[in-house]
Amino acid sequence: MVSVTRRLLLLALLLPALSAIAQSAGREAEVKIKAAFLYKFGDFVEWPPSALERSGGRFTIGVLGADDIAAELERVVAERTIKGRPVSVRRIRRGDSLANLHMLFVGRSESLRLGEIMSATDGQPVLTVTETENALASGSMINFIAVDDKVRFDVALAPAGRGQLKISARLLAVARKVVAA
Amino acid sequence: MQARHSIRHKILAMKFATTLAALLVAIAAMISYDLWLYHRGWIADMTTQADFLGRTTAPALTFDDARVARENLELLRARPKIRAAAIYDARGRQFVGFALPDEAPFPQLPEADGARVERDSVVVFKRVVSNGEILGTVYIRAEYELYDRLLAYLGIAALVTAVAMVVALLFSRWVHRVVVAPLLAISTVAAEITEKHNFALRADERSKDEIGMLARSVNAMLAEIERATRELEASNLQFSAEVGERRRAEEEIRELNARLEQRVKERTSQLEYTNGELETFCYSVSHDLRAPLRAIDGFSQALLEDFSGELPKEGQRYLERIRSSTQRMGQLIEDLLNLSRVSRTELQLADVNLGEIAQQVVGELQLREPGRAVAVSIWEDMQGRADSRLVRAALENLIGNAWKFTSRKDEPRIEVGCLREGKRSTFFVRDNGAGFDMAYADKLFGAFQRLHSPQEYQGTGIGLATVQRIVHRHGGRIWAEAKPDKGAVFFFTLAPAAETGAPEPIAAEAAA
């Protein structure tokens, strides 16, 4: 018992410092991975053709409340296409229109307004991706979570179905959890 | 037998070699084709497998999900031929992997796309590409059983070859038993027959096929030969018996002939001796008779001349008759002497012209009786090989007869001629005088045989006998043809019949 207590004590003392180091180094990798994942999701999701025709033939990804990811994403998609189209990354501020988006990433900083944002896009052909715990309950379609220092994601099929989006079974195969309802 | 067997073995060996070669080539072709198919198919299969795995694992690679990737990889365990598999990420680090125990370590780095054979395994690397981006590489190492298969096939081939050889051997045995053996049996029978001349041997003809037919034909032939041989032997026996008999008969005949000849010789010599005696007797009698006859005639003539005045007329007439009788007797004796001389003198053969002699004879006859006018025609060139004195005597007789027997004809004609056919000459003397009845033709040439009375025609009856003897001495023949009052033809030859041939047809022609 003694040794366990001492270990816990030590852990408690060291935790804030370790966490800070870990977070600064971890966030950087996390941003890269998440940006890459966002780009890759395009391969595994089918949009209705009418939706793809909008916004001048460009595939538009909106990023809300996560500028680091937006920046990384811009870098990732710079020379790439999704569904054969060039990709635009739009940084969205509070109150900006959410129209003409194909994908929307909502950062952790906007987690409190998540329900509001999700309801705004609900029924629209916009793939919504979040990084907040229990975000699926708010109506998000894909939600990043960290598992053993790795970025994983859960998928909710119901809101995607409402947005006429088809998520590939191959994507579902690598999802941590798939919520049908 | 040795040669035949060796040929049989050669054919057998050849058959086996052919079968073996065909079999080996076929098996080699099949094996090569199969192995090629296997190689290609297996590499294609593994490449496809790698590709499939890559596609399946693409999301896991994309989203860095080793768990899912491992799950995907674990599916390969359903294929036990896959010994090891791994997935490398885009940077070449091993993402997940699995290997069966005792398997070689995974390669440190993925290689370029492709498949290669490494001893007993095939190694496949396959890039996982999505949207033009390389996500990673699939590595598969699977068993490559080409050599095992090859070994298995070789085993099967050996087994098949062995079985085929055994079957071929059995088949060949069967063929030999069914086809070759009966033929050999027939040939053996034929050879035995040739060696031993035993035609009682027979070939086995139980088979119902062509060989049976052959055997039956051979047997039929043999039966025929046997029968013919037996007949031949029988007839040979008979023949030799006949030959023996004939030889005996010939022997007997020869003996008889010899005996006969001996007897003939004896008789002939006896006859010749008797004849000679007779002729000598006849000659000496005739010779001795002439002297007293001449005395009778001489003294009769002296009586008539010296005492004609003292003898009465009656007496003178008697004396005249005595003289005429003695003269006739003298003539007779002369003729007999001539006849005897013909037999006794040696033949002096020379080439004589019978025509010339006939001409002289006719001339003498005309001198003796100049008052007669006889149409005589003598053919020219009547050469013959003869004794001229004897031929002259014969012609004197024959022409003299013709002269005599034509004396009462108004137009007497005499023809002397010769018929030739090859070397054969047949002479004839023809007249149109009194002729004679052919019924007496056989008496014509006997001595003292006369067909006419002395009152009708003078003659001693010895002339034709003399002619016949002359002709016979030359080895010829003489015969005559005549009709009463129509004339006669006398034919004769001066050489043996063997040299001259048969003269009869020509004679008949000449007589016509």
Side-chain angles (χ1 to χ4, degrees):
Chain A
M1 283 306 280
V2 176
S3 84
V4 172
T5 317
R6 277 172 66 179
R7 275 187 193 174
L8 281 173
L9 194 67
L10 194 67
L11 195 69
L13 285 170
L14 289 173
L15 201 61
L18 284 173
S19 169
I21 297 163
Q23 272 182 350
S24 66
R27 182 63 195 174
E28 204 175 315
E30 188 190 334
V31 165
K32 276 191 172 173
I33 291 168
K34 284 181 177 170
F37 277 24
L38 283 175
Y39 162 67
K40 295 282 172 73
F41 284 147
D43 288 348
F44 297 93
V45 178
E46 292 295 321
W47 278 263
S50 57
L52 288 176
E53 293 304 315
R54 292 182 305 194
S55 60
R58 293 187 79 89
F59 191 90
T60 314
I61 303 174
V63 180
L64 180 57
D67 283 352
D68 49 359
I69 286 178
E72 178 63 19
L73 191 58
E74 277 171 346
R75 202 182 59 78
V76 166
V77 302
E79 301 286 315
R80 295 185 166 114
T81 60
I82 293 176
K83 302 296 174 199
R85 295 152 205 276
V87 184
S88 299
V89 178
R90 199 198 293 171
R91 294 167 198 238
I92 297 171
R93 306 294 164 210
R94 276 182 207 164
D96 281 1
S97 164
L98 295 176
N100 294 331
L101 287 179
H102 296 105
M103 193 189 292
L104 172 64
F105 178 74
V106 183
R108 200 175 289 136
S109 57
E110 295 293 326
S111 56
L112 294 176
R113 291 179 54 236
L114 211 52
E116 187 190 328
I117 298 163
M118 287 304 123
S119 58
T121 59
D122 190 44
Q124 300 289 317
V126 179
L127 182 72
T128 50
V129 185
T130 56
E131 52 175 351
T132 311
E133 259 181 85
N134 294 322
L136 294 189
S138 310
S140 169
M141 294 175 191
I142 297 174
N143 187 37
F144 289 123
I145 47 167
V147 177
D148 302 335
D149 288 340
K150 287 205 162 196
V151 178
R152 302 257 67 92
F153 52 87
D154 294 337
V155 179
L157 292 177
R162 281 197 299 274
Q164 294 179 297
L165 298 178
K166 288 177 188 161
I167 298 173
S168 163
R170 299 168 70 211
L171 184 67
L172 301 182
V174 292
R176 191 197 67 159
K177 197 166 76 182
V178 177
V179 182
Chain B
M1 292 301 264
Q2 193 56 44
R4 197 161 56 194
H5 274 174
S6 88
I7 277 180
R8 187 162 78 81
H9 286 148
K10 276 179 198 162
I11 287 173
L12 197 65
M14 216 162 66
K15 220 187 296 177
F16 269 71
T18 313
T19 313
L20 196 64
L23 213 57
L24 289 184
V25 167
I27 286 173
M30 274 164 59
I31 289 177
S32 310
Y33 182 63
D34 189 88
L35 289 181
W36 178 68
L37 275 189
Y38 168 76
H39 173 82
R40 213 180 56 158
W42 188 238
I43 282 182
D45 190 4
M46 285 303 106
T47 307
T48 308
Q49 189 70 61
D51 193 33
F52 179 73
L53 184 64
R55 282 170 196 276
T56 312
T57 324
L61 274 172
T62 305
F63 299 108
D64 191 26
D65 195 335
R67 188 184 53 82
V68 171
R70 182 162 288 111
E71 276 172 17
N72 291 337
L73 206 55
E74 291 293 317
L75 291 175
L76 291 183
R77 286 193 191 279
R79 303 198 62 174
K81 300 280 187 210
I82 296 176
R83 311 289 304 172
I87 295 167
Y88 295 81
D89 66 14
R91 274 169 291 182
R93 285 177 311 199
Q94 190 184 325
F95 188 48
V96 288
F98 90 89
L100 293 182
D102 305 330
E103 196 50 40
F106 296 107
Q108 286 291 320
L109 286 169
E111 296 172 15
D113 265 12
R116 63 186 159 82
V117 175
E118 232 171 50
R119 283 217 319 252
D120 59 345
S121 52
V122 57
V123 175
V124 177
F125 285 98
K126 182 73 188 168
R127 293 271 178 275
V128 183
V129 178
S130 177
N131 251 8
E133 275 181 63
I134 295 171
L135 301 177
T137 306
V138 175
Y139 160 76
I140 288 179
R141 174 187 286 274
E143 283 176 13
Y144 185 64
E145 293 174 315
L146 193 79
Y147 303 109
D148 297 332
R149 282 173 93 97
L150 183 61
L151 278 178
Y153 275 135
L154 288 180
I156 291 170
L159 195 68
V160 165
T161 308
V163 168
M165 289 294 110
V166 167
V167 167
L169 185 67
L170 291 176
F171 184 70
S172 141
R173 283 253 175 88
W174 179 76
V175 165
H176 182 261
R177 190 167 55 77
V178 168
V179 178
V180 180
L183 281 176
L184 282 182
I186 292 172
S187 118
T188 306
V189 166
E192 216 168 307
I193 287 166
T194 315
E195 269 172 37
K196 300 180 182 166
H197 297 284
N198 180 4
F199 296 105
L201 289 172
R202 288 295 179 269
D204 182 5
E205 54 179 50
R206 278 172 299 180
S207 170
K208 286 191 172 67
D209 53 12
E210 286 86 345
I211 294 170
M213 270 164 62
L214 176 64
R216 277 191 287 281
S217 306
V218 167
N219 283 347
M221 202 176 74
L222 285 178
E224 186 59 30
I225 290 173
E226 194 187 7
R227 197 182 58 74
T229 308
R230 214 172 276 154
E231 273 180 21
L232 204 65
E233 278 169 1
S235 81
N236 262 355
L237 270 177
Q238 202 181 330
F239 184 66
S240 60
E242 274 176 18
V243 163
E245 231 167 86
R246 199 170 297 172
R247 200 170 293 154
R248 263 197 304 285
E250 275 174 7
E251 203 65 43
E252 273 174 34
I253 287 168
R254 205 173 298 142
E255 224 168 279
L256 278 175
N257 269 348
R259 227 179 290 160
L260 212 61
E261 268 172 26
Q262 185 59 36
R263 209 181 289 171
V264 164
K265 222 176 268 174
E266 284 168 13
R267 290 277 161 83
T268 310
S269 69
Q270 277 178 8
L271 266 173
E272 275 172 356
Y273 178 74
T274 317
N275 260 351
E277 289 280 289
L278 268 174
E279 269 167 18
T280 310
F281 172 75
C282 184
Y283 181 79
S284 53
V285 163
S286 309
H287 195 269
D288 292 351
L289 278 175
R290 274 201 302 194
L293 208 57
R294 213 173 280 133
I296 293 170
D297 188 43
F299 283 111
S300 300
Q301 195 180 354
L303 273 175
L304 278 173
E305 286 173 1
D306 296 352
F307 304 99
S308 57
E310 294 157 36
L311 271 178
K313 284 281 180 204
E314 189 80 17
Q316 284 184 24
R317 212 178 61 238
Y318 287 160
L319 279 173
E320 288 291 339
R321 288 185 68 174
I322 287 170
R323 278 204 68 195
S324 129
S325 286
T326 53
Q327 277 166 9
R328 261 182 53 212
M329 195 169 169
Q331 184 61 48
L332 193 60
I333 286 167
E334 196 64 35
D335 285 354
L336 277 172
L337 277 174
N338 277 340
L339 183 61
S340 148
R341 206 175 287 131
V342 163
S343 302
R344 292 154 64 92
T345 51
E346 279 291 309
L347 274 184
Q348 292 177 335
L349 291 178
D351 288 321
V352 295
N353 188 346
L354 276 70
E356 261 173 40
I357 296 169
Q359 203 70 58
Q360 289 166 13
V361 171
V362 169
E364 280 169 21
L365 284 168
Q366 242 150 12
L367 268 179
R368 212 177 298 165
E369 285 183 78
R372 283 199 59 188
V374 179
V376 179
S377 85
I378 297 168
W379 294 17
E380 288 179 0
D381 190 30
M382 296 206 292
Q383 296 291 337
R385 188 154 181 82
D387 186 314
S388 60
R389 222 158 37 81
L390 292 182
V391 162
R392 187 185 186 90
L395 283 176
E396 274 173 0
N397 273 299
L398 288 171
I399 298 171
N401 279 349
W403 191 272
K404 187 163 66 188
F405 291 113
T406 51
S407 57
R408 299 187 181 185
K409 286 286 170 185
D410 296 335
E411 291 177 355
R413 270 189 289 113
I414 297 174
E415 186 182 8
V416 182
C418 173
L419 302 170
R420 290 181 191 276
E421 191 166 317
K423 287 183 175 178
R424 183 178 61 192
S425 300
T426 303
F427 303 96
F428 66 89
V429 177
R430 176 158 39 197
D431 65 64
N432 60 344
F436 56 87
D437 191 341
M438 283 298 285
Y440 306 111
D442 56 333
K443 291 184 174 176
L444 212 53
F445 301 102
F448 308 112
Q449 295 286 344
R450 295 187 49 115
L451 300 183
H452 304 275
S453 66
Q455 285 73 33
E456 277 181 295
Y457 300 100
Q458 274 192 311
T460 54
I462 294 175
L464 283 178
T466 307
V467 173
Q468 189 186 40
R469 194 164 289 186
I470 289 167
V471 168
H472 282 180
R473 285 218 61 187
H474 283 85
R477 275 181 78 233
I478 183 163
W479 68 100
E481 281 172 15
K483 274 181 185 170
D485 276 338
K486 298 283 181 190
V489 197
F490 285 84
F491 301 96
F492 64 95
T493 63
L494 291 173
E499 286 177 33
T500 59
E504 281 82 2
I506 296 169
E509 186 188 306

